[in-house]
Amino acid sequence: MSQTARTGTLQAAQDPLDDIEGELSLPVTDLADRLWHLFISMRTGLALLLFLAALALVGTLVAQAPPGIAGDPAAYQGWLEAIRPRFGGWTGILDALGLFSVFNSIWFKGGVVLLSTSILACSINRSPLLWRQATRPRTTVSESFLEHAPLAELLDAATTPEVARAALQRALAHRGYRTIESADGEAVALYADRFRWAPFGTVIAHLSLIFILAGAVLGQAGFRVEDLAVAVGSKVAIGNGTNLEIEAVSFSDSYYDDGRPADYASHLVLYENGVQVAERTIRVNDPLRYGDVSFFQSFYGPAADVRVTDSSGAFVYESGVPLLWRSNDDTKAIGRFALPSQNLVVYVIGVASGRVDPAIRPGQMQLEVYQGTASTPTAIEVVDQGQPVTVAGLDFTFLRERQFTGLIASRDPGAPLVWLGTLLLVGGVALVFFFPARRLWARVRPISGGARIQVAAITRHDVTFEAAFGSLIEDVRAGLDPAPSREG
Amino acid sequence: MFKMSEYAFVAGLLAAGLAFACYVAGMVLARMQANRPALAGAGAGGGTITVSGSRAAATLATYGTLIAWLAFVFLAASLIFRTIHVGHGPFSNMYEFSVAFAWGALGVYLYFERRYHLRTLGLVVLPVTIGLLLYATTIPSAAEPLVPALQNNLLLTVHVAVAIVAYGSFSVAFGAALLYLIQPETGRRGLPRPAILDEISYRAVVIGFPFLTLVIVLGALWAEIAWGRYWGWDPKETASLVTWLIYGAYLHARVVRAWHGRRAAWLLMFGFAATLFTYFGNYFFGGLHAYAGLD
Ligand code: HEM
């Protein structure tokens, strides 16, 4: 519709498909113009959408490198070797093309940038036109438009023009059309529209994507810790530029009879600069939120409370140690803590749940103490609960078994923008499709022996309008026929 | 209740099969009679055959519709009984979701059939429904307790309920596009006019696209509440994005001259393939979306 309306000659019943592409007219003068026309072209938009769809499809079909290892060349190489058997000779090619991290690849990012540009350009290009159509629509059209528009009807009736006009108005009002009449010689020109603001739904839907993308970019400034293990009774600093510490006061898990997990819950207390700021029992689907930082229940496992004292009896360390890792044979649960001031690293090893180990009996833990970065331990001790052992001049005591709760901590400063964007997206799309905008033009004039009504409209690609137009005409026709009952 | 749900399921499956058989028989009869114009004009006898033949075809088709409605009601009953039995929306494993998907496709089809009086569409959509139901018979239907990740009933229910409308609409769009593609531009006798099919496809996508958008947004919302991120390129999420992009492309393709018509119809083929891929994706990729029926 755009070109014709813009030039104010809404008359030729030309294929409305042309105008939307906006590439019919205007001689292309320079590069900027050329680029502009490229970006507002629906063809470009279509190509970009399909290109991104194809890339996303690759992202589901080709194994994607886990996010953690992208910045770690050694880990990435290891991962490549692990998948090489699956992709064979293609491994190198896919890697070179960046298809193992499609969504971080130049292709995807470039495609998204181009799409956003195109969306922005389309919106800028169309908004003034939509605004004009909603606020100052063209209310009269030429004779030839009335005759040759894609939807055009002519009704002659043996009534006065006033009756004909009333019938037309009634049928339109019945359908919720707004009408604007104007005198046109001895005829009356009539413009009618419905949901005239709804076309802004496309603008809203298009711009919403920009919001979502902006939110996603902003989100990069946040953080996400996926393996935050906190032993019950212990406190862990979140770091990442926050002064937050999270304490797990308690943890409980329950199971169905068949052993599937039914529920797990952690009671958490959050501190900022040492002061308690939040407290809540979280479970799966029910996080703790503080400002834009959130804590999610994710996993759980065993932990061991360990105390370390020096020869004078002063505490060097006392905390719950989450046994976060599993041994390769899956029989042992392993935790680790460091004593930086002593330059020691300590591994705490227990038996994985459901396993039996002759060397580490129930109520025991194995401690391995390493000096600095040494690869062989200074000492390996299996300790009984509550019985201190002395290694490197320190007393190590395994106090009790505990559980740890595994949390995800995340801060996403872009999230509000993303949610705003999704709201606009759903709202915009719903507006376009559930409130289809309609415009039509009519003229009522006296002819010898009666009145003539002409109604015309452009269908664009909106096939549903055709049926609606037909039923409108039927209504008008019925309204024109003097009803027998009324006559009698 | 569990038994009732199973009985209703079987009844729904049988009814869907029978409805399809009626459609096919009606169609074949109508064709046979259309292909015998010479015979029809040849004499009184031929004329009688034609009249009774066409009447039989119409009757069969009407029965087909009736039985298709019956199938719809049976499947609805099956889902309701199941809801009562498990105590939450019947949307937590592949079995439940397949029945719901089949029911949705049938429902959207019946809506379009009422609107356009086009039973030919059923020749494509009913097999989709039947296929999904047959698939459902191959997976365990036992109700299992919900794992914690799925224990967000409101979101889960709305997420999946909305998905059913979207998928159902895409099934109908697929059916119409397929009928569009198997005939020449000018149409073929016995098949609905290409323009009508184009219209039906578009109408179905106009329903499906907003709903799919909502499915993805609700999924993102849920992912945020459960895992602390609204989007993680989980294969299931990614596949749904592919689907969304294809239908988005379709909406724009209809307005580009070189694309409207056949190419747009082809996009609907790919769109439906992507829909099925998203749906059955769990078989292709291991993601966070765990359906109890699969593990
Ligand atoms: C993911 C990206 C996009 C989404 C979700 C989107 C969404 C939509 C929707 C829902 C409509 C209404 C369609 C209809 O009425 O049938 C629409 C129309 C439109 N889109 Fe997009 N769009 C996207 C990208 C683009 C791009 C890149 C361009 C520019 C090249 C563009 C240009 C247009 C235009 C000009 C219309 C109006 C067509 C008309 O008025 O009939 N869109 N878009």
Side-chain angles (χ1 to χ4, degrees), chain A residues 41 49 115 118-119 122 126 206 209 460-461, chain B residues 202 244 252:
Chain A
S41 159
L49 285 172
L115 183 73
S118 176
I119 286 173
C122 283
R126 272 178 67 82
H206 287 159
L209 293 167
R460 299 196 299 155
H461 55 294
Chain B
Y202 177 66
W244 187 77
H252 293 80

Side-chain angles (χ1 to χ4, degrees), chain A residues 425-439:
Chain A
L425 177 60
V426 173
V429 170
L431 198 59
V432 184
F433 290 134
F434 300 146
F435 300 92
R438 307 267 154 90
R439 296 143 54 79

Side-chain angles (χ1 to χ4, degrees), chain A residues 393-465:
Chain A
L394 298 170
D395 286 340
F396 291 81
T397 314
F398 158 51
L399 296 171
R400 63 185 77 79
E401 276 194 62
R402 292 271 208 181
Q403 280 183 299
F404 77 80
T405 179
L407 308 176
I408 295 171
S410 77
R411 190 175 87 86
D412 187 346
L417 210 52
V418 171
W419 295 124
L420 175 66
T422 58
L423 217 61
L424 292 175
L425 177 60
V426 173
V429 170
L431 198 59
V432 184
F433 290 134
F434 300 146
F435 300 92
R438 307 267 154 90
R439 296 143 54 79
L440 55 84
W441 291 265
R443 179 172 298 167
V444 184
R445 81 181 58 167
I447 52 172
S448 66
R452 167 169 294 175
I453 302 180
Q454 281 175 286
V455 190
I458 298 174
T459 49
R460 299 196 299 155
H461 55 294
D462 178 7
V463 286
T464 59
F465 190 15

Side-chain angles (χ1 to χ4, degrees), chain A residues 18 224 256 262 289 296 464, chain B residues 146 151 203 224 226-227 257:
Chain A
D18 289 339
R224 183 173 167 82
Y256 296 113
R289 308 223 185 241
F296 302 85
T464 59
Chain B
L146 290 182
Q151 288 170 4
R203 283 227 140 193
E224 204 283 332
W227 303 313
R257 197 184 305 124

Side-chain angles (χ1 to χ4, degrees), chain A residues 71 107 110 195 198 302 428 477:
Chain A
W107 312 113
F195 299 138
R477 206 186 301 265

Side-chain angles (χ1 to χ4, degrees), chain A residues 100-435:
Chain A
F100 288 128
S101 0
V102 167
F103 304 108
N104 267 320
S105 70
I106 180 85
W107 312 113
F108 190 76
K109 287 182 172 163
V112 168
V113 168
L114 289 179
L115 183 73
S116 314
T117 313
S118 176
I119 286 173
L120 214 58
C122 283
S123 303
I124 292 170
N125 185 44
R126 272 178 67 82
S127 293
L129 169 70
L130 295 179
W131 180 259
R132 205 156 48 234
Q133 286 182 348
T135 56
R136 288 182 287 114
R138 186 180 172 80
T139 52
T140 57
V141 288
S142 70
E143 198 59 40
S144 99
F145 177 82
L146 284 171
E147 281 166 21
H148 303 296
L151 294 178
E153 278 288 342
L154 186 150
L155 299 174
D156 284 345
T159 59
T160 62
E162 282 65 41
V163 171
R165 229 174 82 200
L168 181 60
Q169 285 277 15
R170 252 200 325 276
L172 287 167
H174 181 65
R175 288 171 164 70
Y177 278 83
R178 163 188 87 135
T179 54
I180 300 175
E181 283 192 359
S182 48
D184 186 4
E186 59 175 357
V188 172
L190 191 143
Y191 165 80
D193 64 16
R194 208 182 67 167
F195 299 138
R196 65 185 190 279
W197 295 105
F200 277 97
T202 53
V203 178
I204 294 171
H206 287 159
L207 293 185
S208 73
L209 293 167
I210 309 282
F211 280 83
I212 292 172
L213 291 173
V217 172
L218 216 64
Q220 305 290 311
F223 64 80
R224 183 173 167 82
V225 183
E226 300 221 344
D227 55 355
L228 184 65
V230 187
V232 170
S234 303
K235 236 192 237 181
V236 171
I238 309 304
N240 285 295
T242 70
N243 291 319
L244 298 172
E245 283 175 295
I246 190 98
E247 177 183 2
V249 177
S250 65
F251 175 80
S252 67
D253 46 347
S254 59
Y255 299 85
Y256 296 113
D257 293 341
D258 66 356
R260 290 160 172 268
D263 185 28
Y264 30 108
S266 310
H267 189 80
L268 302 180
V269 178
L270 183 67
Y271 301 87
E272 185 165 27
N273 298 317
V275 182
Q276 178 175 336
V277 289
E279 178 169 6
R280 183 180 170 80
T281 301
I282 70 163
R283 9 174 74 83
V284 178
N285 286 326
D286 190 7
L288 163 69
R289 308 223 185 241
Y290 174 67
D292 56 1
V293 181
S294 310
F295 298 89
F296 302 85
Q297 181 70 61
S298 179
F299 57 106
Y300 57 89
D305 275 359
V306 176
R307 177 193 296 156
V308 185
T309 52
D310 66 15
S311 51
S312 68
F315 285 164
V316 177
Y317 180 89
E318 176 161 2
S319 181
V321 180
L323 307 185
L324 191 53
W325 300 283
R326 286 297 183 103
S327 56
N328 286 338
D329 61 3
D330 213 30
T331 60
K332 297 195 178 73
I334 303 168
R336 173 190 187 275
F337 65 96
L339 301 172
S341 54
Q342 268 74 21
N343 192 25
L344 293 179
V345 172
V346 183
Y347 285 87
V348 183
I349 299 162
V351 179
S353 77
R355 302 286 186 148
V356 205
D357 190 309
I360 310 171
R361 292 188 312 278
Q364 292 188 323
M365 284 286 159
Q366 179 174 317
L367 299 179
E368 293 183 5
V369 183
Y370 290 76
Q371 197 81 43
T373 55
S375 57
T376 47
T378 311
I380 300 182
E381 301 275 352
V382 174
V383 295
D384 286 317
Q385 185 172 341
Q387 302 293 315
V389 292
T390 308
V391 176
L394 298 170
D395 286 340
F396 291 81
T397 314
F398 158 51
L399 296 171
R400 63 185 77 79
E401 276 194 62
R402 292 271 208 181
Q403 280 183 299
F404 77 80
T405 179
L407 308 176
I408 295 171
S410 77
R411 190 175 87 86
D412 187 346
L417 210 52
V418 171
W419 295 124
L420 175 66
T422 58
L423 217 61
L424 292 175
L425 177 60
V426 173
V429 170
L431 198 59
V432 184
F433 290 134
F434 300 146
F435 300 92

